[in-house]
Every structure is written in structure tokens, then in C-alpha cells.
Amino acid sequence: MASISFSPNPSRLSSPSSLRCGSSDPKISLGFRARPSIRSGFSSICLSIRRDRVERSSLIIKCSQVDGNGAQVKRTTLHDLYENQGQSPWYDNLCRPVTDLLPLIASGVRGVTSNPTIFQKAISSSNAYDEQFRQLIQAGKDAESAYWELVIKDIQDACKLFEPIYDQTDGADGYVSVEVSPRLADKTSETVEAARWLHKVVARPNVYIKIPATAECIPSIKEVISHGISVNVTLIFSLSRYEAVIDAYLDGLEASGLSDLSKVTSVASFFVSRVDTLVDKMLEKIGTPEALDLRGKAAVAQAALAYKLYQKKFSGPRWEALVKKGAKKQRLLWASTGVKNPAYPDTLYVDPLIGPDTVSTMPDNALLAFIDHGTVSRTIDSNLSEAEGIYSALEKIGIDWSEVGSLLELEGVESFKKSFDSLLTSLQEKAASLKLVSL
């Protein structure tokens, strides 16, 4: 997780370093200097970010607001994103110390997402979990049970940090997501049981239980929602599967029997950059000039059409009947927003996907890039005809969107399983060594 330190003088910046979760040394140091603002004529504050030999000084921090104690609140583009455009910026990472989230919250981050790969990296690359793990093994826990104890503590601690945002927004924001075991992606009833168990043991109002949008888990989503449990539906790669996810949410609300639906919320995590990674390979295999010209355009085009579908599904008589009971829209959450192709702009999967009632969860690099030089304006539906044209052009040239969705879903599930299994193997080996030492 990125550690951010503020220093009043640029000369006091720490040396540039990379972002490594769980490390006590690497930091992103933010140095401030006053300079005239071209836009307003007033003095503003410029932020220098030193990271991996890269130094930028274009981010403007506004200090015009004052908090309840009279202290100045430093504003970033993340605050503007939420307040001016209605999009919530979340952070796609979690590790210890969880208090490293505090400066990110101050910078405008309003929630956190996690997944098995994130925890695999956090736990395997840091000694911050060792003492708790040792105590759990000595208490007779097996490696998998110990894993969940480690994860649950991080989720509970993060939920506590975001609880003020959850309270201030009446449960609309400030969530922390934790995923059921990736081994259950093809098991309907077991996923329901795991989701109910996680919700019970975490015991925080602002936790999202993540369930994959596999065909087997669509019924699980409906049932979990019907039990009044808030859900982050993950690994959505196609418009058809996204519509099934929305229907599962609506079906679950209707089946709940609750007279007050205001405390049941959900987000639908629509993955972005992975779509371009796969489609670009397909286009390069086709090899025609028309195909090559469409590289880097598939993901954003499909996402724009997903937002159009969102607007359609959350309107009309069926939705209005649920609104009367306090129902809240299942917000679209843009996931996989980190750019994987270095030839593409580093805010490619953030800047064009800004719109009201959405969430953008960003890993370190995407978050820093957007804070530094992101553009805050409504873009998601600014040119739907172009998005529709790109989507159709890709179909005509031979891209099967159904195949793309299926391949990416399989790849996503397998990737999370691999991370989960790898970490459990490491923990089992560590547990065995601890038991040998205690003999």
C-alpha cells in the first residue's frame, strides 16, 4: 500500500522509491510550494510526486475549505470527482498497517476493494502478519482458518476507518470489500453460505461481500441480497452478464420481504483494462489496418454501453416500486483501471468513465496518475454514438463479445484461485515450521 507523507518544503522530500505493499521504507512524498494560479489569480499549492525516477509538479491542491476544527482541508481531484461529478474514488489495495489508509482518505478516497491476489501479496511480502499468525497456529488453527482470521481483522480495521463516510452518506459510501473463497466460483449454495458467514463474522455495517458474476453465482447474488446483505458483484466482463447481475439484485430486493430496503446496497464491478488486453491480442492476430486501428478502444466503449444499460434498468415502474421501499441503485464500479499497456495514457480507464452514481476503484499507479493530472468532467455518456460504433465495428471485424467475456471470466477466476492456493501453501509451510520450533 502506498504510504504518503506531507512535507512543507520540497527539499525535505524523501528519495524516490517504488510502491511496495507492506514495506516500511518506500513512501510517496508530497512536497508543497506556493505559486501563482493562472486560472484564479490567487496563490495555490503545487504538489510534487516523486516515484520511480518520475517527478511531476502539475497537481494543484486547493486549501479553501475548513473542517469542523478550523483546520484547512487540502483538496485534490478526488474530492472534485465526488462532489462535482458524483463518482466515488476507491482504493484497490489493502495491507498492514491499515492506518496507511488515513492519508488516502484525507486525499478523497471513499472506499476500498480487496481480492485474493491483493491479500496474497500483502501477507506473503510483509512480516506485519507474522505475530497474529503465530498466535493462531499455537491456538490450534489450521492454515486456512488462520488466513481468514488475518483477512477479517484487516477488513474490520479498514471498515472502522471508513465508517464516518458511511455514516455521513447514510450508507451510500464508505465500504470495504472482502471476497468469498475463489474456490467457490462454481458452487451456488456454498457461495451463499460463505457470504452469510463472512457478513456475520466481519460484523460491520459498511462491509461488502464480494461474489463473482459466474453463471453459477448469479442465483447466489439474488439469495444473499434477499437476506439483507450488501454485495459487491465482481468479475463482470460482458454486457449480457452485467444485465443478469442487475436482475439478480432486483430479484433479491423483491424477495427480501423487507419493508425498508435502504440498508441493502450493492455495486457491480465491471472490469475494464483486461478487456483491452485480450481484445488487442485478437485484433493484432487479425492484423488488418482496420483491426489495428481499434486497439485500446474496446474496453471504454463497452463500459459506456454498460452505463447506458444501467440507466435503463434503474428506471421504470419496477424500479420505482422498489424506490418507494427505500431501495438504492446498484452502482456501477469500474474495476481493473490500471493501465497494462505502457503505450496507453495512464488515466485511460479513469478519465473517460466519469459519471454520476458510479465508483472507480484504482490501484496505486492509476490513483496517483489521476490525482496528478486527471480530468474531472462527465465523460461516460458524452459520446454514446461513438461507443456504439466502436462496439459494432469490433463485432463486424470478428470480435465475439460473448467469447471475450467467457475467456476473461475464466482467466479471472483462475487467477484468484492461483493466488489463494499459493498463499495457503505458504501459510501451511509456515505453520509446519512453527510447530516444529515449538516441539
Side-chain angles (χ1 to χ4, degrees):
M1 187 183 303
S3 174
I4 300 181
S5 63
F6 295 89
S7 65
N9 190 323
S11 65
R12 296 176 60 187
L13 288 173
S14 61
S15 59
S17 58
S18 61
L19 302 178
R20 296 196 300 273
C21 189
S23 171
S24 59
D25 295 324
K27 293 183 178 180
I28 305 165
S29 296
L30 309 183
F32 301 96
R33 66 180 186 274
R35 76 175 185 187
S37 171
I38 297 175
R39 293 180 180 177
S40 65
F42 293 102
S43 175
S44 58
I45 290 179
C46 182
L47 171 66
S48 294
I49 301 178
R50 299 186 67 180
R51 174 173 57 87
D52 291 335
R53 300 181 184 176
V54 177
E55 181 170 345
R56 297 189 180 101
S57 57
S58 58
L59 175 63
I60 305 300
I61 301 285
K62 304 169 186 175
C63 292
S64 57
Q65 289 199 346
V66 177
D67 69 13
N69 297 318
Q72 286 183 325
V73 177
K74 296 180 179 66
R75 291 181 56 85
T76 74
T77 51
L78 300 183
H79 294 105
D80 294 336
L81 182 65
Y82 175 73
E83 294 173 16
N84 299 339
Q85 298 300 328
Q87 184 173 82
S88 296
W90 289 8
Y91 182 50
D92 191 29
N93 199 8
L94 182 61
C95 64
R96 297 183 184 180
V98 173
T99 50
D100 277 358
L101 291 169
L102 288 171
L104 293 172
I105 294 172
S107 75
V109 168
R110 304 181 63 80
V112 158
T113 49
S114 69
N115 59 49
T117 300
I118 283 173
F119 277 116
Q120 189 266 336
K121 291 177 180 177
I123 296 171
S124 64
S125 65
S126 169
N127 60 10
Y129 297 85
D130 289 356
E131 182 56 33
Q132 185 189 1
F133 182 73
R134 184 180 298 106
Q135 292 174 2
L136 291 167
I137 296 302
Q138 291 174 348
K141 299 279 187 181
D142 60 34
E144 186 167 354
S145 297
Y147 163 82
W148 285 111
E149 294 278 355
L150 299 176
V151 167
I152 288 165
K153 176 169 172 43
D154 280 7
I155 297 297
Q156 289 175 327
D157 290 347
C159 281
K160 187 67 176 177
L161 296 182
F162 283 95
E163 197 169 330
I165 295 175
Y166 175 84
D167 291 338
Q168 290 161 12
T169 59
D170 193 25
D173 222 343
Y175 286 91
V176 178
S177 298
V178 58
E179 190 160 345
V180 298
S181 169
R183 293 173 173 173
L184 306 178
D186 59 351
K187 297 177 173 62
T188 304
S189 59
E190 290 90 334
T191 293
V192 174
E193 292 171 10
R196 295 184 71 178
W197 175 78
L198 265 177
H199 180 259
K200 181 179 179 180
V201 295
V202 173
R204 296 292 186 274
N206 56 327
V207 65
Y208 267 143
I209 307 303
K210 289 182 79 172
I211 298 175
T214 57
E216 295 85 352
C217 285
I218 293 297
S220 310
I221 295 161
K222 172 190 172 181
E223 185 169 346
V224 172
I225 290 291
S226 75
H227 288 296
I229 297 172
S230 295
V231 174
N232 177 342
V233 185
T234 189
L235 295 178
I236 304 172
F237 297 99
S238 69
L239 296 176
S240 58
R241 187 54 56 84
Y242 174 47
E243 185 165 15
V245 166
I246 297 174
D247 288 338
Y249 176 63
L250 297 176
D251 290 343
L253 291 177
E254 291 168 340
S256 70
L258 296 171
S259 58
D260 180 11
L261 297 172
S262 63
K263 297 302 180 184
V264 188
T265 69
S266 181
V267 290
S269 296
F270 202 96
F271 280 57
V272 192
S273 69
R274 294 189 194 185
V275 173
D276 273 345
T277 299
L278 177 58
V279 173
D280 282 2
K281 291 178 181 177
M282 293 177 169
L283 293 171
E284 287 166 2
K285 187 174 181 180
I286 294 170
T288 64
E290 294 82 4
L292 296 178
D293 188 53
L294 288 168
R295 287 178 297 181
K297 298 178 180 179
V300 170
Q302 184 179 228
L305 298 185
Y307 189 74
K308 179 183 178 181
L309 179 60
Y310 159 83
Q311 291 177 309
K312 176 185 175 182
K313 298 288 286 188
F314 288 99
S315 62
R318 183 186 187 188
W319 175 243
E320 291 305 322
L322 289 168
V323 170
K324 290 178 181 178
K325 294 184 178 182
K328 294 175 179 175
K329 295 177 181 178
Q330 181 189 56
R331 291 189 295 173
L332 257 173
L333 180 152
W334 308 122
S336 181
T337 56
V339 174
K340 294 175 172 57
N341 187 335
Y344 294 161
D346 53 8
T347 59
L348 176 61
Y349 303 115
V350 183
D351 280 353
L353 302 179
I354 297 174
D357 300 321
T358 58
V359 178
S360 180
T361 189
M362 295 171 265
D364 289 301
N365 289 344
L367 187 70
L368 290 173
F370 186 75
I371 290 176
D372 182 53
H373 51 271
T375 301
V376 178
S377 63
R378 180 165 177 163
T379 53
I380 185 61
D381 52 3
S382 62
N383 200 339
L384 272 175
S385 60
E386 181 181 3
E388 290 168 343
I390 291 170
Y391 191 87
S392 297
L394 286 161
E395 283 183 316
K396 290 176 182 177
I397 211 165
I399 300 300
D400 183 340
W401 283 102
S402 177
E403 180 189 15
V404 169
S406 297
L407 288 173
L408 288 173
E409 179 184 295
L410 178 63
E411 178 185 291
V413 170
E414 289 304 315
S415 175
F416 284 166
K417 280 183 182 177
K418 183 178 179 180
S419 295
F420 187 77
D421 292 343
S422 174
L423 179 56
L424 286 188
T425 298
S426 297
L427 291 178
Q428 286 163 355
E429 292 172 353
K430 185 178 288 188
S433 66
L434 288 173
K435 289 175 181 177
L436 285 174
V437 170
S438 63
L439 291 177

